[in-house]
Amino acid sequence: MTLPVNIKPIKNAIANSYRKTKTKCQNRIMKIKNRMKSSSDVEPLFSRNDSGRGSKNKTNKVDESNAAPTSTLNVLRAALIILIPDYSECEDLSDLNGVNADGDKMEEMLTAHDFTVEIKRNVVDIEQVVKDFCKKYRKAETLHLHFSGHGVDNATVEIDPNRYIMNKLGKTFAAISPAGDSMVGSHGDLYAVHDLTYELMENKPDKVVVTLDCCRNSRGCNKEFVRLKHKRKMSASRQQNLAVIYGTSDLHTASDSNTFTQQLYKVYQKEGLALPLLEIVRKINKSWKDCGIKQICKDDIVEVGENWKNYMWPSGKNLEDKANINKACNGLKEIDETVETGTSDLDMKALLMQMNERISKLEDENKMLKSKIEVTDIGQTMKGKLNEMSKMPAKVRKMSFRIAQNAF
């Protein structure tokens, strides 16, 4: 029987499990307190249902409900979850019953991996909420943004009447905005995914992941337009740190009953609470296919070398770390199977002694490794000092050498 190669991953796994449970309890308590403070945070009840998360005609209204942003927080991992189930202010948009459940599942996945999570419901002005979030967490190294609500592939652009080129055929006007994927606020205002990604990358975080659980179908009309604020192109280096996962494919609707977020949660649990980012789309599409669901998701990720190859979501850890934990867990599984098959007391004692010896040996190896590192560091320091001393006058060099001898 093969025992675990390293005991450290087992300890880490136990510690992570405890931390997850503790964080989950704290978040639940905070949610209850927030709901008691403000009735606006209570999850609304809806009588209407919708089989998709698409959008129809829009109305433009100004959002005046956003509070002033708070000061910057020193947080390494921050997440913003935008949930819009209530579209009662829009005549041609249905409420979405699956959105709040999506939010609970996404919050659970992110908080379990040390994300500081903010949840915003029924947002009117998505742009302002995103700006406030980026300002508040501008020092964060990892960002995650999740959106559940109505979406549209905007098919109509607004032109600038003062910008045009004259030719033989007449005037060729310049568009203020290109068409593209957009999120729909609770009053029908659109916020382009282009703007969203640019805003999230403005503070140059190490990694940004965006998950969009909304429709991408085109429903153009003369009232629809997106005014893109960012005219500058995003640098190649920033694009390498950005991953966008769409809950459905181009020009298709998204289900409100078998949502992308629900399938992601299902795969997340099946894969041991973390999975390679580059495998998310493949595994979710396979899960949908097995359930007889025709919806498929897609991603937009720029791969350069191994920039995303070993990245585990949502932990942010390396794929090799998970392999070590699995190896250790498999060793424990073998021990459990040995016990279940009827191991005698004497065999069990021998097995426990063998485990204790292995643990002691690993601890001794760790101590020796630390000692070697310390000796190497001292050696490097001494080498640097000797190089400095070689440049000194002979009299000063002898004095420094005596001082160094006394120090050691």
Side-chain angles (χ1 to χ4, degrees):
M1 182 188 65
T2 304
L3 289 172
V5 176
N6 194 338
I7 201 67
K8 188 176 179 181
I10 303 174
K11 293 179 179 179
N12 290 341
I14 295 170
N16 287 337
S17 178
Y18 168 76
R19 187 168 60 251
K20 274 194 302 184
T21 306
K22 182 179 177 182
T23 304
K24 187 176 178 181
C25 292
Q26 289 175 341
N27 288 331
R28 293 295 180 192
I29 293 168
M30 287 298 297
K31 283 177 70 176
I32 293 169
K33 287 182 178 180
N34 290 336
R35 288 175 185 173
M36 292 173 66
K37 288 180 183 179
S38 173
S39 60
S40 63
D41 288 334
V42 179
E43 295 180 2
L45 300 175
F46 305 108
S47 58
R48 288 182 288 161
N49 193 4
D50 183 23
S51 60
R53 295 186 174 183
S55 59
K56 299 181 182 179
N57 295 337
K58 311 294 177 293
T59 56
N60 294 315
K61 295 184 180 180
V62 179
D63 178 16
E64 299 177 351
S65 62
N66 294 304
T70 56
S71 57
T72 303
L73 297 181
N74 290 322
V75 172
L76 294 179
R77 296 163 65 78
L80 174 62
I81 300 175
I82 299 176
L83 307 172
I84 308 181
D86 184 2
Y87 285 92
S88 57
E89 294 294 325
C90 303
E91 295 179 1
D92 298 312
L93 293 178
S94 299
D95 294 334
L96 301 172
N97 291 342
V99 166
N100 286 319
D102 288 350
D104 291 339
K105 286 179 171 58
M106 184 58 69
E107 180 188 11
E108 180 183 333
M109 290 186 285
L110 294 174
T111 54
H113 293 276
D114 300 326
F115 272 94
T116 298
V117 178
E118 287 197 6
I119 299 178
K120 301 294 182 181
R121 289 184 170 84
N122 298 320
V123 175
V124 178
D125 189 347
I126 300 174
E127 178 183 9
Q128 189 58 52
V129 168
V130 172
K131 283 180 177 290
D132 292 346
F133 171 77
C134 292
K135 183 177 181 180
K136 186 175 181 180
Y137 297 102
R138 65 173 176 264
K139 295 182 180 180
E141 295 177 358
T142 304
L143 297 177
H144 185 107
L145 186 136
H146 176 80
F147 174 78
S148 283
H150 278 297
V152 64
D153 178 69
N154 189 44
T156 306
V157 295
E158 184 185 18
I159 64 169
D160 185 346
N162 298 317
R163 293 177 59 199
Y164 57 87
I165 299 172
M166 287 295 298
N167 52 35
K168 294 180 180 180
L169 299 176
K171 295 179 180 179
T172 300
F173 290 92
I176 291 176
S177 65
D181 291 298
S182 304
M183 299 166 286
V184 185
S186 62
H187 287 186
D189 295 323
L190 305 185
Y191 184 48
V193 175
H194 171 87
D195 280 359
L196 168 69
T197 55
Y198 196 98
E199 199 68 52
L200 291 171
M201 297 303 300
E202 189 67 18
N203 295 321
K204 301 180 181 179
D206 293 338
K207 296 289 182 184
V208 173
V209 178
V210 178
T211 47
L212 302 172
D213 197 347
C214 57
C215 288
R216 301 177 69 191
N217 57 319
S218 179
R219 302 191 182 215
C221 73
N222 58 4
K223 292 183 180 179
E224 290 184 3
F225 62 86
V226 180
R227 188 189 301 273
L228 292 186
K229 307 296 189 301
H230 305 297
K231 298 299 180 183
R232 292 174 294 167
K233 62 183 178 182
M234 189 182 295
S235 66
S237 59
R238 291 194 188 185
Q239 291 181 53
Q240 295 171 27
N241 297 330
L242 172 66
V244 181
I245 303 176
Y246 296 93
T248 188
S249 54
D250 303 81
L251 305 178
H252 282 260
T253 59
S255 172
D256 188 40
S257 54
N258 298 293
T259 67
F260 161 79
T261 308
Q262 291 173 16
Q263 289 298 319
L264 175 60
Y265 182 75
K266 181 179 177 181
V267 171
Y268 162 82
Q269 288 189 312
K270 185 178 179 181
E271 294 293 319
L273 309 184
L275 66 159
L277 183 83
L278 296 179
E279 294 184 15
I280 288 177
V281 167
R282 179 173 60 83
K283 290 181 181 293
I284 290 178
N285 288 338
K286 176 67 165 56
S287 179
W288 265 329
K289 184 178 180 180
D290 293 342
C291 297
I293 299 170
K294 294 183 179 180
Q295 182 173 329
I296 60 172
C297 57
K298 295 182 71 175
D299 59 27
D300 183 4
I301 302 173
V302 177
E303 293 185 65
V304 179
E306 298 184 355
N307 63 329
W308 291 101
K309 182 179 178 181
N310 296 317
Y311 187 83
M312 298 293 292
W313 183 90
S315 65
K317 301 246 176 106
N318 195 294
L319 182 60
E320 294 175 359
D321 295 336
K322 185 183 178 184
N324 289 333
I325 291 173
N326 288 339
K327 195 172 183 179
C329 290
N330 287 335
L332 290 175
K333 188 177 178 182
E334 289 179 11
I335 294 170
D336 291 338
E337 289 173 353
T338 305
V339 174
E340 287 175 4
T341 54
T343 308
S344 66
D345 291 342
L346 289 173
D347 289 339
M348 277 297 297
K349 287 179 181 178
L351 191 62
L352 290 172
M353 287 178 65
Q354 192 178 357
M355 276 194 67
N356 288 329
E357 288 175 5
R358 179 61 179 158
I359 291 169
S360 299
K361 188 176 179 181
L362 286 169
E363 289 176 348
D364 291 339
E365 287 175 0
N366 288 335
K367 288 178 182 178
M368 288 177 65
L369 184 62
K370 287 180 181 178
S371 299
K372 286 180 181 178
I373 292 170
E374 289 174 1
V375 170
T376 302
D377 291 341
I378 292 170
Q380 292 292 334
T381 304
M382 284 298 298
K383 186 177 179 181
K385 293 292 182 185
L386 289 171
N387 287 336
E388 291 178 11
M389 288 168 63
S390 64
K391 300 174 184 178
M392 298 177 183
K395 192 177 287 186
V396 178
R397 189 163 62 244
K398 288 180 182 178
M399 189 180 295
S400 298
F401 185 71
R402 289 196 194 106
I403 293 170
Q405 279 185 322
N406 292 333
F408 287 94

